[in-house]
Each structure stands twice: as C-alpha cells, then as structure tokens.
Amino acid sequence: MAPMLAWLAALALLPWWLGLPLLLALAAALLLQLHWPAEHARLLRQALRWGLPGVMVALQRALGGGAFGVGAALLGALAGYTLLAGMEAWLDRDLRRAPAGTTSDAEWPELARAPIGPPARIIELRPPEWHAASAELADPRGGRLQWREGSYLFADGMQVEAGEQCDFSPGGRWFAARPEHGRRLLLCDRDHHRCHRLRGWNLYGWDGEQPWLQRREGDMPVPLEHVAGSRGRR
C-alpha cells in the first residue's frame, strides 16, 4: 500500500504532461504482452490504477484548481478508469474463456502431482533442454541433427526450417524448436510427419512423449491437443 501511495503522490506533484506518458508507457507494456512474470504484471496494473488519480490531481492543479479544473479531472478519471477496465478485461480474456470448474493457477501444481484416473498416475513434466542450433545434437532415434542455412537436417533426410534453439522429447518422437528471442514454437510429430507452428505459446515440459504448453509464466500448462486444433499445420 505504501509504495502505491508514494507513486500516487509523485504523479500528483509532477506536471500532468510528464505523468500521463508514464501511464501510457505502462499500459503499452501490458498490451504488448511481453513475457512478464505474473508478479510484475500485477504491479504494472496496480501502478496504472493508483497512478491515474495522481495524474488527474496534477491536471486539476494545472487548470487552476477551480470548478473547471475539478470537473476536467473527474471527467478524465471516469474516462481513464473506463479504458483501464476495458484493457484489463481484454488481458483476462483467456481466464473468462476457461470452462466452468477449471481450477485456478494456484492449484495446478498440486493437481499435476495428483493421480489421474484409473490406473492412478502422477504427471511429472520434464523441463525442455534447449540446445543451440549450431551444435550437432544427438537424435534419440539415431544419428545426429545438423543445422544448415536456417534449417535442421535429420539423419533420415527430414528437413525443417525453424528457430535457433531446439530439443527432442525423451524418446525422440517430438522435435521442438524456437527462436532465441520471441514467442513462436515449432513442434514436429515425427511419427505422423506433421508439424505445428504456434504463436504465443512456450514449451513447458514433456510428459513422456507428449508436449505440454504454457502461454504465460504462472499459467497452468496444458497438453498440445488442447491448444493446437486448427492452428496446427504442416
């Protein structure tokens, strides 16, 4: 609470034409959906909620503090909080789409370790081990994976254009690749000769030979079949 009050007071003392660009920069950082940790995203939202009244106080002072200044500040606060509510609703759209009964993010680690169906089984995800494309990587199914002119070349002749980091599932059925910077993921099912190119998803880990994906840090990981659908393509 105290840091937010200090933030509000700082924006109230600054000229409004300095405080407003700061708030717009925070809103842009959230809308760009950078790979923020959940705690950082929460702090950015609080900074917007508490910073807006500070900027309105600065605006009211700049307009002379009379009835016109107070009215302009109240109107600006109404418009600002309306836009902020719309932005947060858009950012939380994935949570609203979740089916009824979906557990919260705080519960999924416990559920991931819980037995699922008969026979009982505990899901233990092995984190991916990303390797640089420049290094020749051993293929779990034999041979070595080579990187040539922006493409991966497998020992069996298969060739895939993908990013600069790669990994295999433990048994080699799946091949995953991603750019060093950015949120694009390639997953190739070598048994069925099919590849999925997914934007905005990260490979969280392997459950045996099955990939599990995560959209943002702190979200519950889900298996590929839940997110690929019509977006998976060769």
Side-chain angles (χ1 to χ4, degrees), residues 159-184:
Q159 186 171 347
V160 174
E161 295 182 3
E164 300 85 5
Q165 295 181 332
C166 64
D167 186 32
F168 285 103
S169 61
R173 172 183 170 180
W174 287 91
F175 171 73
R178 68 177 187 180
E180 186 174 355
H181 303 288
R183 300 185 64 196
R184 298 190 304 275

Side-chain angles (χ1 to χ4, degrees), residues 137-214:
L137 182 64
D139 187 337
R141 294 190 171 184
R144 303 192 69 82
L145 178 68
Q146 299 181 10
W147 172 261
R148 294 181 182 175
E149 299 180 354
S151 298
Y152 291 97
L153 182 61
F154 295 79
D156 60 5
M158 177 180 171
Q159 186 171 347
V160 174
E161 295 182 3
E164 300 85 5
Q165 295 181 332
C166 64
D167 186 32
F168 285 103
S169 61
R173 172 183 170 180
W174 287 91
F175 171 73
R178 68 177 187 180
E180 186 174 355
H181 303 288
R183 300 185 64 196
R184 298 190 304 275
L185 179 66
L186 171 76
L187 285 171
C188 289
D189 183 349
R190 301 170 69 190
D191 285 353
H192 297 91
H193 304 286
R194 182 174 58 186
C195 292
H196 305 270
R197 296 184 184 271
L198 304 172
R199 288 183 176 271
W201 290 91
N202 299 311
L203 176 62
Y204 185 83
W206 304 104
D207 174 31
E209 287 300 295
Q210 295 302 318
W212 282 61
L213 309 178
Q214 185 182 54

Side-chain angles (χ1 to χ4, degrees), residues 35-207:
H35 195 52
W36 296 107
E39 180 64 19
H40 290 182
R42 184 182 66 81
L43 288 175
L44 286 177
R45 292 193 185 196
Q46 286 187 344
L48 282 172
R49 297 184 195 122
W50 285 84
L52 183 58
V55 171
M56 292 302 103
V57 170
L59 176 62
Q60 185 261 346
R61 288 193 300 105
L63 294 176
F68 177 75
V70 172
L74 291 175
L75 184 61
L78 177 61
Y81 278 113
T82 300
L83 292 174
L84 182 58
M87 183 189 74
E88 291 194 347
W90 185 82
L91 291 172
D92 294 334
R93 63 193 184 284
D94 290 338
L95 298 178
R96 296 197 310 276
R97 292 173 185 168
T102 299
T103 56
S104 66
D105 292 345
E107 296 174 344
W108 75 257
E110 288 76 14
L111 292 180
R113 293 189 292 268
I116 299 178
R121 184 173 73 90
I122 296 177
I123 297 178
E124 295 182 355
L125 301 179
R126 192 210 79 180
E129 300 174 359
W130 295 109
H131 301 271
S134 56
E136 288 193 3
L137 182 64
D139 187 337
R141 294 190 171 184
R144 303 192 69 82
L145 178 68
Q146 299 181 10
W147 172 261
R148 294 181 182 175
E149 299 180 354
S151 298
Y152 291 97
L153 182 61
F154 295 79
D156 60 5
M158 177 180 171
Q159 186 171 347
V160 174
E161 295 182 3
E164 300 85 5
Q165 295 181 332
C166 64
D167 186 32
F168 285 103
S169 61
R173 172 183 170 180
W174 287 91
F175 171 73
R178 68 177 187 180
E180 186 174 355
H181 303 288
R183 300 185 64 196
R184 298 190 304 275
L185 179 66
L186 171 76
L187 285 171
C188 289
D189 183 349
R190 301 170 69 190
D191 285 353
H192 297 91
H193 304 286
R194 182 174 58 186
C195 292
H196 305 270
R197 296 184 184 271
L198 304 172
R199 288 183 176 271
W201 290 91
N202 299 311
L203 176 62
Y204 185 83
W206 304 104
D207 174 31

